[in-house]
Amino acid sequence: MRISASQDTLHHALQNVMKAVSPHCLVPILSGIKLTAHAGGLSLSSSNTHMMIQYELSLEDGKLEILSTGSIVVPAAYLSEIVRKSPSEQVTLEVTEHLILTIRAGSSVYRLCGMDPLDFPGMPEANPSLRFAIPSPLLHKVIKQVVFAVSASEHRPVLTGVSCQLDKMGRFRFLATDGIRFASRTTELSVNARAGFTPITIPGKNLNELAKLLLGEQGTTEVALGESWAIFKTGNVMVYSALIEGTYPSVENFIPASPTTEVLVHAEDLIQAIERVTLLADKSHLLRFHTTGKRITLTARTAEIGDVSEELIMEHRTGADIDISFNGKYMRDILRSADSPRTTLKFTGRLSPIHIEPYNDAQTAYILTPIRTQ
Amino acid sequence: MRISASQDTLHHALQNVMKAVSPHCLVPILSGIKLTAHAGGLSLSSSNTHMMIQYELSLEDGKLEILSTGSIVVPAAYLSEIVRKSPSEQVTLEVTEHLILTIRAGSSVYRLCGMDPLDFPGMPEANPSLRFAIPSPLLHKVIKQVVFAVSASEHRPVLTGVSCQLDKMGRFRFLATDGIRFASRTTELSVNARAGFTPITIPGKNLNELAKLLLGEQGTTEVALGESWAIFKTGNVMVYSALIEGTYPSVENFIPASPTTEVLVHAEDLIQAIERVTLLADKSHLLRFHTTGKRITLTARTAEIGDVSEELIMEHRTGADIDISFNGKYMRDILRSADSPRTTLKFTGRLSPIHIEPYNDAQTAYILTPIRTQ
């Protein structure tokens, strides 16, 4: 193979595929990027044990020239640093000897030892049971709204993922929970195969990487959900995510039916107040929240260090006063992810889950389990 | 004590004194900041086992009000975060109970458990044998030019510091070496007690912190060098650095007397080339440098990964061609610290130390020991 490409185009492509490279993988070839020069352009592929990324650089925008076709796998970290530090606007990549890639950029000549492209894992077939298209900014927002709530512990692997389900109304729904907090986002999507779709669970860390790739994208993402893989195609890039096996817990009765207190707050005011008060919270980020009329008082303390109290005024309240304790950091994360200027907190007594809902947005719901205190 | 101060003034003062706080010190009081409200203003002090910082907030600029005098020590990290996150332009600090500091900012009320200020170490007496003033930008530059060359190993503690000496001409000189590389900077200073001054060694890490405090300062720094302490006063802040005991090695014969080859280069070109070539250098950053007429060729290789060669043109050369190997990262650090557009490399054979000198600047000198290769 022999190709010539502009440095910025190649650098951008490499930045995208680097997200699926395993730098310290026991399988050496997975520390590499597969380059395939074909008549239509250059494919760059990376793979780890749970995610693959393929980036297509096409000839169309004139920033790439294919001088001869072929394929090689080269160490990802070295290739990406070499291109990043290239002094030249134009970089040529050429397989000059068996499994040797020669890179020329300015007055630098690098020769990288490559690996056999036949040993690189192939991209999986999706056999999708469901295909749909979603605006990329919406997919980005949906991921950001739920993915923070996945479990960080591998104790129950299925909870490290986001569950994708169809609800009774046939609408697509994304769920995440770590047992303490729960996030749910329902979307209106034109789904062409809603019958027979079994819920799937996508690893949270893959969705986080996908969200980074989607940031700032304005187009549409094509999604194909199969039995073992979910595939996302947006612009030049395709992301293949393995799915997590196992049955996701039922969440039908998570949301308390009849709250006894509802409090409407300016989300940013409450976020800022929580951040100040959790400065003096203990390791479990325990924060006490109690109301007196329209006044909210937040308090926290750390033994031997000190305590803090802060007051803010809510916008509206119905029901009785409430006195409840919860993890302040978790509540702040929920309010941030809700991404709404005003938010309603619904309480059903001091020991029942708190239901947090962006104002005028019944598509998004969060639950936070309170902390039982003396 | 009871004081009221603007948030930005207090935040800036705390940022300065935080540099000498030991967050995980076995002596609890050293994790604190001592606040002393006196008739003229507020003193903030911090101390670790090798450095102390004192910051004076004066009443003069109207951003501070002393309502009653007194003193307390409070946990530095908490106080600094509380002030940083304060929503209010005005912050009040008040000792409300025995060893309790109440901080009011906006609608937040914090109560921090303090410690007895009598237990806090006092600032040392300098008993200086030498006092002088130096423009702060010059002191900043001098530190940056030499401090990178101190040893990172505690094996010979004296080499972790920068030696301050008077040379034969009575000029002040700063030296640092880790045995492989050596940096020397001589300054013209109006020194009022040059007779009887014994060289001292200031810890490199303290000078790094001092350099951060000096960054952007335009005034003058007053320096007092004593037997056990060096004191630097610039603007509102005083830095007390403990000295390292022990005799600094003699460096008189470090610089080879009669170079056989001299090469004049554009420093930035060589820095960039070294950075690209060391991408494929081994763990010792081994880089080969050889000349053919006015052409410099840099090469490096890592077993099983690949190799690289790069060429650049020097500006001027005298003497024979040279073929030598050295630590590329060390050479880059030297060229960066020299902070000069053009630099002369002087060689005395492939096994002798390389002498690096900024063009037209005999006050600054660097030595790098080459690596012996087959």
Side-chain angles (χ1 to χ4, degrees), chain B residues 122-164:
Chain B
M123 295 295 136
E125 293 290 328
N127 299 322
S129 59
L130 191 61
R131 278 180 188 279
F132 58 89
I134 178 169
S136 300
L138 175 62
L139 181 57
H140 180 263
K141 179 165 181 170
V142 166
I143 293 172
K144 290 308 239 181
Q145 283 183 319
V146 300
V147 75
F148 75 96
V150 302
S151 173
S153 150
E154 292 287 339
H155 184 64
R156 282 186 70 186
V158 80
L159 295 188
T160 65
V162 171
S163 176
C164 303

Side-chain angles (χ1 to χ4, degrees), chain A residues 78 81-82 85 87 107-113 275-276 279-280 302 304-311, chain B residues 78 81-82 85 87 107-113 275-277 279-280 304-311:
Chain A
Y78 286 98
E81 276 300 285
I82 287 169
K85 295 221 168 168
S107 52
S108 308
V109 182
Y110 298 88
R111 297 192 309 158
L112 275 185
C113 298
E275 292 205 332
R276 288 189 293 268
L279 286 179
L280 281 187
T302 298
E304 296 176 14
I305 300 295
D307 57 38
V308 53
S309 77
E310 160 125 12
E311 295 186 349
Chain B
Y78 287 98
E81 275 301 284
I82 287 169
K85 295 220 168 170
S107 52
S108 307
V109 182
Y110 298 88
R111 297 191 309 161
L112 275 185
C113 298
E275 292 204 331
R276 289 190 293 267
V277 172
L279 286 179
L280 280 187
E304 294 176 16
I305 300 295
D307 57 39
V308 54
S309 77
E310 160 128 9
E311 294 185 351

Side-chain angles (χ1 to χ4, degrees), chain B residues 16-264:
Chain B
N16 277 274
V17 288
M18 282 298 284
K19 295 189 198 302
V21 172
S22 337
H24 306 294
C25 186
L26 291 175
V27 186
I29 201 154
L30 296 188
S31 68
I33 285 175
K34 181 180 168 188
L35 305 171
T36 306
H38 51 86
L42 179 71
S43 301
L44 302 95
S45 317
S46 61
S47 174
N48 56 38
T49 50
H50 54 90
M51 183 166 68
M52 302 184 183
I53 297 180
Q54 184 162 330
Y55 193 98
E56 276 298 327
L57 262 180
S58 78
L59 296 173
E60 284 165 15
D61 59 1
K63 294 197 159 185
L64 172 70
E65 200 178 351
I66 305 289
L67 302 160
S68 74
T69 59
S71 187
I72 191 168
V73 177
V74 285
Y78 287 98
L79 178 63
S80 130
E81 275 301 284
I82 287 169
V83 171
R84 190 174 74 84
K85 295 220 168 170
S86 162
S88 159
E89 289 182 7
Q90 204 67 12
V91 177
T92 70
L93 309 179
E94 181 179 6
V95 177
T96 45
E97 301 162 53
H98 180 61
L99 298 186
I100 298 284
L101 183 73
T102 296
I103 305 162
R104 290 171 200 275
S107 52
S108 307
V109 182
Y110 298 88
R111 297 191 309 161
L112 275 185
C113 298
M115 289 165 276
D116 192 332
L118 295 176
D119 294 337
F120 200 79
M123 295 295 136
E125 293 290 328
N127 299 322
S129 59
L130 191 61
R131 278 180 188 279
F132 58 89
I134 178 169
S136 300
L138 175 62
L139 181 57
H140 180 263
K141 179 165 181 170
V142 166
I143 293 172
K144 290 308 239 181
Q145 283 183 319
V146 300
V147 75
F148 75 96
V150 302
S151 173
S153 150
E154 292 287 339
H155 184 64
R156 282 186 70 186
V158 80
L159 295 188
T160 65
V162 171
S163 176
C164 303
Q165 313 185 351
L166 288 183
D167 72 2
K168 291 168 191 160
M169 315 275 286
R171 297 172 308 184
F172 221 76
R173 189 174 177 197
F174 293 76
L175 306 170
T177 182
D178 62 0
I180 305 291
R181 52 193 173 165
F182 163 74
S184 163
R185 175 64 149 91
T186 306
T187 57
E188 300 285 357
L189 281 174
S190 53
V191 171
N192 61 13
R194 74 177 59 159
F197 174 70
T198 314
I200 59 166
T201 308
I202 304 175
K205 55 187 171 185
N206 291 2
L207 290 176
N208 270 320
E209 294 299 339
L210 177 63
K212 288 182 203 161
L213 292 170
L214 290 172
L215 188 66
E217 289 288 329
Q218 291 306 321
T220 295
T221 300
E222 290 163 40
V223 183
L225 304 179
E227 262 184 44
S228 314
W229 293 89
I231 306 182
F232 303 87
K233 181 174 189 308
T234 179
N236 295 335
V237 63
M238 282 182 86
V239 175
Y240 299 72
S241 171
L243 302 180
I244 303 177
E245 289 184 17
T247 305
Y248 203 80
S250 168
V251 296
E252 283 314 309
N253 301 315
F254 263 37
I255 298 181
S258 318
T260 52
T261 304
E262 291 197 21
V263 170
L264 179 65

Side-chain angles (χ1 to χ4, degrees), chain A residues 21-31 47-49 115:
Chain A
V21 172
S22 337
H24 305 295
C25 186
L26 290 176
V27 186
I29 201 154
L30 296 188
S31 69
S47 173
N48 57 38
T49 51
M115 289 166 276

